[in-house]
Amino acid sequence: MVQNFRRVFGDGKPVIAMVHLGALPGAPLHDTKAGLEGLVSAARADLQALQRAGFDAILFGNENDRPYEFRVDTASTATMGYVIGRLRDEITLPFGVNVLWDPMSSVALAAATGAAFVREIFTGTYASDMGPWTPDAGAALRYRNRLGRPDLAMLYNVSAEFADSLDRRPLPDRARSAVFSSVPDAVLVSGQITGEAAALSDLEAVKRVLPDTPVMANTGVRHDTVADVLRVADGCIVGSALKVDGHTWNAVDPDRAADFMHRVRTVRGQS
């Protein structure tokens, strides 16, 4: 599925920046005083800073909806659609969505907003902080097609955060099997929690067995590690490193975001 990946991201190694939405209505951390307008305003500020910094794509996610759900409340997906809809005319980059941790809702949101890609846990069986975790890639892919979006690029996170795989095969074997069984557009390798880096050795091992499939670093990429990551991986997703003080739950720091992409351009030989 390299062709589909390249159709969305081009021929280089894309660097995708996170827009972490504030906690949505119904979530324990939701700011009822700020309300929907607060969610839109914060997302707009982050989006504008990231686009000015020159990232290749944007990913909208509901990381603040802790504790996470496997079947999210309908209001969560609807609110994410509302926020993205309010910003849609301002988005100048390819964008994706991720409704944690619900593949079906992620696909539905992508179809409703015109997103180019989704990121999710689609395969595997896990013991997690949220309980037993058994996603269904077959259902998600069929749902994508029923919604008329066979073009929607599917980015498979094969090393779930906040969880331990009950499949005791080594990570490269699980990644190789996921590619064979459900043909993702890219494979993502993560650390243990949001903002924690994937081991470079894991990225190397997965890329070694998947030379023809895009393999990306999904968490914990920092200013001082992005050069090493991009020498191994086919791209990365970054969030926490771009925030004020490098803290996941803060707003995007325009200076940190600009500096990050300056380093990326240096790696690419663009500056």
Side-chain angles (χ1 to χ4, degrees):
M1 300 298 287
V2 174
Q3 183 177 359
N4 200 28
F5 183 83
R6 296 304 179 204
R7 178 184 54 76
V8 176
F9 298 112
D11 294 327
K13 296 187 174 187
V15 178
I16 302 170
M18 291 297 310
V19 174
H20 290 139
L21 301 182
L24 305 173
L29 299 176
H30 177 61
D31 184 347
T32 55
K33 184 176 181 180
L36 293 179
E37 289 305 313
L39 291 171
V40 173
S41 177
R44 174 177 286 116
D46 284 358
L47 172 67
Q48 291 175 346
L50 296 170
Q51 291 187 151
R52 284 196 301 268
F55 285 87
D56 301 305
I58 300 294
L59 177 59
F60 293 94
N62 62 329
E63 270 80 0
N64 275 290
D65 276 1
R66 297 165 283 157
Y68 301 120
E69 300 176 294
F70 297 137
R71 294 182 180 177
V72 303
D73 190 296
T74 303
S76 299
T77 310
T79 302
M80 290 184 72
Y82 172 78
V83 172
I84 294 170
R86 287 279 301 273
L87 302 176
R88 191 67 180 84
D89 290 343
E90 303 171 38
I91 301 172
T92 61
L93 300 172
F95 75 92
V97 296
N98 185 193
V99 186
L100 300 169
W101 292 97
D102 188 336
M104 303 297 275
S105 291
S106 294
V107 170
L109 180 62
T113 59
F117 63 98
V118 296
R119 175 189 71 175
E120 233 333 324
I121 302 291
F122 290 104
T123 58
T125 301
Y126 305 88
S128 80
D129 295 342
M130 297 79 67
W133 192 350
T134 55
D136 186 340
L141 284 166
R142 286 165 174 78
Y143 191 40
R144 177 193 67 171
N145 288 358
R146 288 204 307 274
L147 294 180
R149 289 298 312 274
D151 63 310
L152 181 66
M154 309 287 272
L155 278 52
Y156 280 41
N157 184 358
V158 295
S159 47
E161 301 104 291
F162 315 103
D164 184 46
S165 176
L166 297 177
D167 182 343
R168 291 310 176 192
R169 292 176 296 173
L171 176 60
D173 288 345
R174 289 190 278 119
R176 186 163 55 97
S177 184
V179 169
F180 181 88
S181 64
S182 56
V183 199
D185 297 289
V187 165
L188 311 181
V189 180
S190 307
Q192 289 297 305
I193 62 174
T194 298
E196 187 171 298
L200 202 61
S201 58
D202 284 342
L203 281 168
E204 291 170 337
V206 172
K207 187 59 194 175
R208 192 176 302 120
V209 300
L210 295 176
D212 300 322
T213 299
V215 174
M216 305 179 72
N218 186 48
T219 60
V221 183
R222 304 189 306 273
H223 293 68
D224 61 344
T225 63
V226 65
D228 291 334
V229 167
L230 291 180
R231 288 189 188 101
V232 175
D234 298 299
C236 66
I237 299 174
V238 58
S240 299
L242 311 177
K243 304 300 188 69
V244 173
D245 298 326
H247 192 276
T248 302
W249 312 119
N250 288 342
V252 168
D253 180 334
D255 291 334
R256 290 178 71 98
D259 182 40
F260 192 93
M261 282 308 293
H262 172 73
R263 296 176 188 233
V264 169
R265 286 190 291 272
T266 299
V267 173
R268 293 172 171 172
Q270 296 173 326
S271 62

